[in-house]
Amino acid sequence: MDCGAPIIDDGFPAAKLFSQGYSYTYDDVIFLPHYIDFPTDAVTLSTKLSRRITLATPCVSSPMDTVTESSMAIAMASLGAIGIMHSNTPAPNQAALVRLAKSHKIPFDYDIIFKSPSDILDSADDFSSSPCIFVTESGSEKSKLLGTVKLSDFEKYCEKLDSEEVRVSDCMTKCPVTLPSSYTFEDVAGYLAKNELDFVPLVKKFGEDGDKIVNIVTSEDVGRNQGFPKLGLPSLDSNGEFLVGASIGTRQSDKERLEHLVKAGANVVVLDSSQGNSIYQIEMIKYAKNLYPELDLIGGNVVTQYQAQNLIQAGVDGLRVGMGSGSICTTQEVCAVGRGQAAAVYKVASFAGVPVIADGGISNSGHIVKALTLGASTVMMGSFLAGSNEAPGAYEYQNGRKVKKYRGMGSLEAMMKGSDARYLGDKEKLKIAQGVVGSVADKGSVLKLVPYTMQAVKQGLQDLGASSLQSAHDLLRSGVLRLEVRTGAAQVEGGVHGLVSYEKKSY
């Protein structure tokens, strides 16, 4: 059977569909199925994040302060994807988060808590997410390690005690055995099983500062890891450390931030601006490229070919596409600028010549299939990953539902912490919000969410007859893949409808 260009002229090639003056988003368009001659397992998702960085999984976590800190970056890298550390924090803090993420080899991350023997423990909340508290002479991480207080020991001690006041020294145990953070998960799991331990701290040597505890692995982690589906190879740099990205702005102070991040080992830097086609970003690109020619820079955000051209000529190694398409973004309604995300991705990717990140508008696996097929090399996700175990913040309950806060970097709340520079508004006395604060439902761990989502993406690409992202791009450009615009009724028909009630589970 001929699986080349269709004999019957059906549907529209992308070039024709996106040249009619309409700003289409993902739900507006649908791909027509093509010819399948390979199994789902034959689909490969390997892709380029930027000119020199390759990922096994085409996913990027957004540089938002309710999405990506060290836990998210660690988990994403372990899945073959990458996390971009947000910059809504002082530069040394952001660099410390990058350094912490790169010191891991295991996709679990706990709060490392230190106290002195004389400190008082009020409740189990003192342990945060950690199974233990580390006891040092002064209560700081740079002081001599004396022992640990296990959460289980603290709870048992409280049951026997009439007084609510518990001193750390009362339930401290001897200094634990530690393992190097360079150990693989299998090595650590074997050690825990052999020695019948509940947990083991992992340490890394940081120059003159000596050994530092950077993580804890528990026996529960071993069981959980065995239950997670596997994905591609982890994202590692030439030193065998996790790939971690970070964002910066375009102000003078961001030059110092850039230096901090490079020293911390950031593998890629994203210039974070809602409208990237500015003299400020172009000058920052030239500055960074001159100082760090081997560092990959991703520019943006852009939605037009003209915007993209200016940043490419300045020297970017990738582009971030999207403006006003995020679930918490109000740029299009406040400022009357932007573009439908499907149109933006297609237009920029068909012109760029550098890898494109589709940023915004992703709420299901079908949107990812559309973004990647329309020309993106990766998709950046905010709300899709917010609410997961690895996202920053504590869970709350709203009307009996477990949720986490999720806020736009253009919200007034985020702007008050410094993100207004992203919208070129940090010099203005009057702040104009381009985002909102909301909440998203608990999604569990990204270590489960992302692999299942990527399996759905593989099935979507199989239906299109594309065994790789490059194949999908080639089929689109050649006109073999066809699309149509969906009416409102067609969009309703394409989802769940006509039921009195239903339960929807993705996996």
Side-chain angles (χ1 to χ4, degrees):
M1 179 176 177
D2 180 13
C3 59
I7 298 172
I8 301 171
D9 189 18
D10 196 1
F12 294 89
K16 183 175 181 180
L17 188 75
F18 288 107
S19 63
Q20 299 174 1
Y22 292 99
S23 190
Y24 295 122
T25 193
Y26 296 134
D27 283 338
D28 292 325
V29 298
I30 191 77
F31 280 101
L32 303 185
H34 190 41
Y35 178 68
I36 299 173
D37 58 359
F38 53 85
T40 308
D41 289 345
V43 177
T44 175
L45 299 178
S46 178
T47 189
K48 286 281 191 182
L49 172 74
S50 56
R51 289 187 201 270
R52 284 168 287 213
I53 295 179
T54 299
L55 302 176
T57 303
C59 298
V60 185
S61 66
S62 181
M64 303 172 72
D65 60 8
T66 50
V67 178
T68 307
E69 290 189 348
S70 57
S71 291
M72 181 66 75
I74 292 161
M76 293 295 283
S78 73
L79 293 168
I82 193 170
I84 310 298
M85 211 72 74
H86 74 85
S87 56
N88 210 23
T89 186
N93 291 3
Q94 186 186 19
L97 290 171
V98 170
R99 203 173 287 113
L100 176 61
K102 293 187 70 65
S103 69
H104 285 57
K105 274 191 174 293
I106 291 169
F108 299 102
D109 185 36
Y110 289 98
D111 294 327
I112 307 299
I113 302 165
F114 296 92
K115 290 188 178 293
S116 73
S118 60
D119 283 339
I120 301 298
L121 296 175
D122 295 317
S123 70
D125 292 341
D126 290 333
F127 290 76
S128 186
S129 65
S130 180
C132 74
I133 287 173
F134 293 97
V135 186
T136 62
E137 287 182 342
S138 67
S140 73
E141 63 176 319
K142 293 187 177 181
S143 182
K144 182 181 178 182
L145 183 63
L146 302 176
T148 62
V149 176
K150 292 198 289 186
L151 175 58
S152 57
D153 289 346
F154 169 73
E155 291 174 335
K156 289 177 184 177
Y157 190 84
C158 288
E159 289 176 4
K160 300 176 183 178
L161 201 67
D162 292 333
S163 170
E164 294 182 359
E165 187 174 284
V166 179
R167 202 171 296 278
V168 167
S169 57
D170 293 336
C171 45
M172 183 182 82
T173 56
K174 66 178 182 178
C175 187
V177 176
T178 60
L179 294 178
S181 63
S182 59
Y183 270 36
T184 65
F185 187 79
E186 290 73 22
D187 292 335
V188 178
Y191 183 86
L192 285 170
K194 180 181 177 181
N195 294 278
E196 298 181 345
L197 297 174
D198 294 329
F199 64 87
V200 62
L202 304 184
V203 299
K204 181 174 182 177
K205 190 172 185 63
F206 286 102
E208 296 178 357
D209 291 337
D211 289 346
K212 284 188 179 181
I213 298 169
V214 295
N215 201 13
I216 308 167
V217 179
T218 72
S219 55
E220 290 182 359
D221 291 333
V222 175
R224 279 194 296 151
N225 187 66
Q226 292 169 345
F228 288 132
K230 303 304 175 189
L231 205 49
L233 295 173
S235 303
L236 303 176
D237 62 20
S238 57
N239 297 320
E241 295 181 327
F242 280 158
L243 289 178
V244 179
S247 68
I248 64 171
T250 57
R251 295 298 188 230
Q252 188 67 28
S253 59
D254 287 293
K255 293 179 179 179
E256 182 182 345
R257 182 182 294 273
L258 177 63
E259 182 182 356
H260 277 284
L261 294 174
V262 171
K263 288 180 178 178
N267 301 102
V268 60
V269 167
V270 174
L271 293 166
D272 194 23
S273 178
S274 66
Q275 211 283 54
N277 185 29
S278 68
I279 185 63
Y280 314 111
Q281 184 158 148
I282 289 170
E283 288 179 350
M284 181 62 79
I285 292 166
K286 292 178 179 178
Y287 170 84
K289 276 297 178 183
N290 181 59
L291 204 59
Y292 307 108
E294 299 304 311
L295 177 68
D296 272 18
L297 283 180
I298 294 173
N301 280 30
V302 300
V303 292
T304 71
Q305 295 177 349
Y306 170 67
Q307 287 178 297
Q309 182 181 46
N310 284 344
L311 300 189
I312 292 166
Q313 289 176 347
V316 294
D317 303 290
L319 288 168
R320 190 174 164 199
V321 175
M323 189 172 185
S325 55
S327 63
I328 39 64
C329 188
T330 59
T331 295
Q332 291 187 18
E333 66 179 64
V334 170
C335 300
V337 291
R339 198 174 206 172
Q341 188 66 344
V345 170
Y346 173 73
K347 289 289 189 178
V348 175
S350 63
F351 167 84
V354 296
V356 161
I357 302 172
D359 174 23
I362 299 295
S363 59
N364 55 54
S365 58
H367 291 163
I368 298 175
V369 173
K370 290 176 184 179
L372 296 175
T373 305
L374 287 170
S377 295
T378 56
V379 292
M380 179 172 279
M381 297 178 287
S383 64
F384 195 89
L385 301 176
S388 65
N389 297 347
E390 292 79 7
Y395 284 110
E396 302 173 359
Y397 283 89
Q398 292 181 2
N399 300 319
R401 198 175 188 192
K402 192 177 178 184
V403 300
K404 268 190 182 181
K405 178 188 284 189
Y406 175 53
R407 68 185 184 191
M409 299 307 284
S411 66
L412 289 177
E413 186 176 283
M415 282 185 169
M416 294 306 175
K417 290 190 66 178
S419 70
D420 47 357
R422 184 178 191 270
Y423 299 85
L424 305 181
D426 55 326
K427 306 297 183 184
E428 304 296 330
K429 292 181 180 179
L430 183 62
K431 307 294 183 187
I432 303 299
Q434 294 186 41
V436 300
V437 179
S439 59
V440 291
D442 170 28
K443 296 186 177 71
S445 175
V446 298
L447 298 172
K448 188 174 185 179
L449 173 65
V450 171
Y452 277 111
T453 302
M454 289 302 103
Q455 185 63 25
V457 170
K458 287 184 176 183
Q459 291 177 2
L461 291 173
Q462 181 193 36
D463 284 340
L464 295 175
S467 59
S468 67
L469 301 193
Q470 185 59 55
S471 173
H473 295 169
D474 292 343
L475 289 169
L476 185 80
R477 281 194 290 266
S478 67
V480 171
L481 282 186
R482 298 297 180 106
L483 303 92
E484 287 182 344
V485 176
R486 297 203 293 175
T487 64
Q491 292 182 39
V492 171
E493 182 182 73
V496 179
H497 61 279
L499 303 178
V500 174
S501 64
Y502 67 93
E503 182 180 6
K504 186 175 183 180
K505 290 186 177 180
S506 298
Y507 46 83

